Amino acid sequence: LRQPERNFFLEKAILLRDDIELYKTLPGEVPAESYDLIIGDGWMGETLPAGQDIWLLNPAGGEWFTTGAAGEGAVRTADTPTARELLRYVDLTGLRVAEANALTAQDATSQPLVLLGDAPIALLAEEDGVRRLAFGFDLHNSNLPLQKDFPILVQNILSWFLPERQSQAGGVTAGHSIRIALQADAAWYD
């Protein structure tokens, strides 16, 4: 296992949501505890924790997909409802990746998210309430974290995995302030 470089851009984009606590582990360490979401940046154990939502970045392969050379071509969003949801307000036309792996699904629940030519370089799956997402490239070797749409992409992905928790306003009396978490697509009307 290689030690991944620290991903400051990803950390900052995740921490834009104030209802998330971020716990970091050592490279190669698979958390023994259950978390709402595990993000494997450049590593993952041989088997994925059962019943756990997981987002993998540049994995070597896994139980639900295999990797291979992606080839060349234009980057585009897959034409699926979930891909449109996760890539809403995200323009991938400027995405450049030094090296990408094509991800080939090993189960029927997987679907492509992002394609390089005809090869999926991002894959997602949902089965029995468990969600999985894999990017077949290293964020450090792409310009994705430098794109203005990167924080939006991360927030869309987090919303897919972790719907925002609603404000608990119980026990509030007049004069106290409360925090209200609005959905990204909320509109303001006077």
Side-chain angles (χ1 to χ4, degrees):
L1 298 172
R2 70 174 184 80
Q3 181 168 343
E5 300 172 49
R6 193 158 174 209
N7 196 324
F8 291 107
F9 291 110
L10 183 59
E11 289 178 29
K12 295 298 182 190
I14 290 169
L15 292 174
L16 288 173
R17 276 196 35 188
D18 60 2
D19 65 336
I20 291 179
E21 287 184 58
L22 184 63
Y23 297 94
K24 294 179 250 178
T25 62
L26 297 172
E29 181 182 346
V30 177
E33 302 171 39
S34 178
Y35 289 93
D36 292 332
L37 173 62
I38 294 176
I39 301 172
D41 188 3
W43 61 268
M44 200 61 211
E46 290 182 24
T47 58
L48 300 175
Q52 181 68 60
D53 288 344
I54 296 175
W55 179 11
L56 301 175
L57 301 161
N58 197 33
E63 300 170 0
W64 57 287
F65 61 88
T66 59
T67 60
E72 297 181 16
V75 174
R76 62 187 169 89
T77 302
D79 190 23
T80 66
T82 308
R84 285 189 292 276
E85 173 189 345
L86 291 178
L87 296 166
R88 194 165 114 206
Y89 307 122
V90 176
D91 181 9
L92 294 177
T93 56
L95 176 63
R96 300 295 179 261
V97 179
E99 183 179 333
N101 289 315
L103 305 176
T104 304
Q106 298 297 308
D107 61 18
T109 66
S110 296
Q111 56 183 290
L113 175 65
V114 177
L115 302 163
L116 178 62
D118 292 329
I121 60 170
L123 195 65
L124 60 92
E126 183 174 9
E127 185 176 21
D128 299 327
V130 176
R131 292 179 170 184
R132 300 173 299 202
L133 174 63
F135 283 13
F137 58 93
D138 187 343
L139 290 177
H140 298 96
N141 294 329
S142 77
N143 68 349
L144 184 58
L146 302 175
Q147 300 291 313
K148 67 182 180 346
D149 297 347
F150 181 68
I152 297 167
L153 172 63
V154 172
Q155 294 306 308
N156 288 351
I157 289 169
L158 291 175
S159 293
W160 182 67
F161 277 116
L162 310 166
E164 292 188 54
R165 294 172 178 94
Q166 299 301 314
S167 172
Q168 298 296 323
V172 176
T173 58
H176 288 110
S177 61
I178 61 170
R179 184 163 177 79
I180 300 173
L182 297 177
Q183 299 291 339
D185 57 354
W188 181 267
Y189 296 99
D190 283 326

